Amino acid sequence: MRIYIILICLKVITCFSVKPNPICCFPNQFETFMFMSQGIVDIGTGDVGYGYGYANGTIKTAFDGVNQLTYVHEHSQSFMSVWPIPVILDSIDILDYINNKQWRVYADGSCDKLDVGLPLYQECIPGNATLISEGMFAQTGQAMKTFMFHDRIYLDPYEITVTVIMSDNDNGECTPVRMSVSDSYVFDSNKNVDITVADIYDFTTGIKDRSVFTPPSSCDKGEKIEEAKSTKHSGRIRDILRNFANKQKTAVTN
């Protein structure tokens, strides 16, 4: 499972700035803890279809827009039609946008090095988002609103729905409590299903422990790779489904 977030993009890689001015933005430094679930159906072409899968897990993040750093620790289990046992994914991504460096650290201590490739933008609800609902958060008197919009994550178009609590102190600030991300309905021609839902159980402003942005010593020996060539990247649902389909197609043709 790889959520390209989450919080708007918080597997946090990037959201592009948009016009008109955003409705509200998340704080420029924050930490989160969230539970996520993801369902995928990949419809292959030709003789072999891809299959389907489901994943759930937790993600801890730290977003530092001031120093252009992000941290994401994902622990998840994936269940797939093409694999007999659950696939465990436990990885940490540390991104340094200023120096264009990314480290992916796995549970066994091994480390991959990658380029970031894109700048880091503040997480915002764009000005062209559609207001779906609004109400009050418990008895606090704070306004809670749900917005839906299309945005690009890693250049791919997604439909995003986000529920936020509006700040009482700053009209331009908000904090997320729930979101969903899907590329299933952006184009009518896309028959695949890819839906991720995240419930955000903890959201705090500021960075409590800056050491999370320091890669472990095992990364000193890590070899720089391309994203598509990461062997452990294949632990994610869509990659496993497509790798399985490719092997089946090769077996059929041979």
Side-chain angles (χ1 to χ4, degrees), residues 150-159 182-184 186-187:
H150 287 180
D151 209 335
R152 291 184 176 272
I153 304 174
Y154 272 136
L155 304 181
D156 296 323
Y158 281 79
E159 181 178 271
S182 175
D183 64 357
S184 306
V186 177
F187 300 116

Side-chain angles (χ1 to χ4, degrees), residues 37-59:
S37 60
Q38 179 183 43
I40 286 180
V41 176
D42 260 19
I43 301 174
T45 58
D47 297 329
V48 181
Y50 293 161
Y52 57 89
Y54 170 78
N56 59 37
T58 60
I59 288 187

